Amino acid sequence: MTTYRIAPSILSADFARLGEEVRNVVAAGADIIHFDVMDNHYVPNLTVGPLVCEAIRPHVQVPIDVHLMVKPVDRIIPDFAKAGANIITFHPEASEHLDRTLQLIRDNGCKAGLVFNPATPMHYLDHVMDKIDIILIMSVNPGFGGQSFIPEALNKIAIARRKIDESGRDIMLEVDGGIKIENIAAAAQAGADTFVAGSAIFGKPDYKAVIDAMRDQLAAVK
Ligand code: DX5
Ligand code: ZN
């Protein structure tokens, strides 16, 4: 049986009440907090950094999954590890030395992963599978919440699933962008086990109702 994990993205939360928001979403059943870091350079938007990660850390016990949409990446990694991150992922285009960056994340005590934009080829995985704990497939172009799921992402999830199974390693397969109750089962069917959802959860008044409905969809996946 696959263990499915729901990872609400704080990008769509109320930033004026962030501590309360993450507590509420974990109480509603979230398994992971997805923390989107944007730098107005690698992506055309600007969000939050290690200070805010540190501020929410005492509010929840679940892992904090830091998705770095920044360039360069290496300098900021130890800061996020100190701020309480458990998982750190980055985009291969944003690092000059992928192997070194993956090792740096692990050396700082976090799980490490690569993020693939809709048009980013998957070959970046070929020589680093032994340094990867998580693969994140973007199903939108990064930078904003509330965009529509790009169906081609399902093919990429399936490719990533094959690579993980062939490696025999315990690697999480996460999908991020436009995930909602209506399409979460298709992403699971393609091979994803971890589902980021921002607007679909924080955009609704009843977080538990959405997460429960997502779990019902996942329970029906064969
Ligand atoms: C996009 C971010 C996503 C985003 C998801 O760049 O990486 O995590 O917050 O938001 P929704 O679920 O609204 O597409
Ligand atoms: Zn994200």
Side-chain angles (χ1 to χ4, degrees):
M1 258 295 274
T2 310
T3 304
Y4 292 119
R5 304 176 197 87
I6 310 262
S9 161
I10 61 159
L11 194 59
S12 294
D14 179 350
F15 275 78
R17 300 185 296 113
L18 208 46
E20 187 186 337
E21 286 277 72
V22 293
R23 287 199 307 275
N24 287 345
V25 88
V26 169
D31 301 296
I32 290 173
I33 295 294
H34 184 80
F35 192 95
D36 284 311
V37 183
M38 304 184 187
D39 67 349
N40 189 37
H41 170 68
Y42 178 66
V43 290
N45 200 355
L46 185 65
T47 60
V48 286
L51 280 178
V52 176
C53 184
E54 190 178 0
I56 63 166
R57 180 68 282 181
H59 290 265
V60 290
Q61 302 297 317
V62 300
I64 297 179
D65 166 30
V66 172
H67 173 191
L68 292 179
M69 288 161 274
V70 306
K71 184 178 182 175
V73 290
D74 290 8
R75 208 216 56 75
I76 204 78
I77 284 168
D79 294 2
F80 274 105
K82 283 193 202 87
N86 304 93
I87 300 167
I88 300 180
T89 62
F90 65 98
H91 291 249
E93 301 90 338
S95 170
E96 302 292 340
H97 307 286
L98 295 197
D99 181 278
R100 176 184 286 155
T101 305
L102 290 166
Q103 190 61 52
L104 178 64
I105 294 171
R106 282 192 169 174
D107 287 348
N108 277 271
C110 297
K111 289 188 195 284
L114 287 181
V115 190
F116 293 86
N117 286 335
T120 303
M122 306 284 291
H123 62 69
Y124 287 108
L125 289 169
D126 287 350
H127 304 285
V128 293
M129 281 300 266
D130 60 332
K131 293 200 168 74
I132 291 216
D133 303 298
I134 177 166
I135 296 169
L136 172 47
I137 303 295
M138 292 304 298
S139 36
V140 297
N141 288 289
F144 303 94
Q147 303 180 79
S148 297
F149 184 88
I150 297 172
E152 171 62 17
L154 294 174
N155 293 327
K156 292 186 80 176
I157 293 169
I159 293 168
R161 171 48 58 201
R162 275 202 297 280
K163 284 180 184 281
I164 291 170
D165 291 349
E166 280 164 20
S167 78
R169 293 177 180 276
D170 184 16
I171 297 174
M172 294 162 68
L173 180 48
E174 185 174 40
V175 57
D176 183 4
I179 291 289
K180 43 188 193 265
I181 297 165
E182 293 74 21
N183 60 18
I184 195 167
Q189 195 78 56
D193 53 37
T194 304
F195 307 88
V196 176
S199 50
I201 295 175
F202 283 111
K204 297 277 161 37
D206 187 345
Y207 304 160
K208 185 168 187 308
V210 179
I211 292 173
D212 285 351
M214 287 178 163
R215 288 206 198 280
D216 286 347
Q217 292 290 316
L218 293 171
V221 173
K222 308 231 172 4

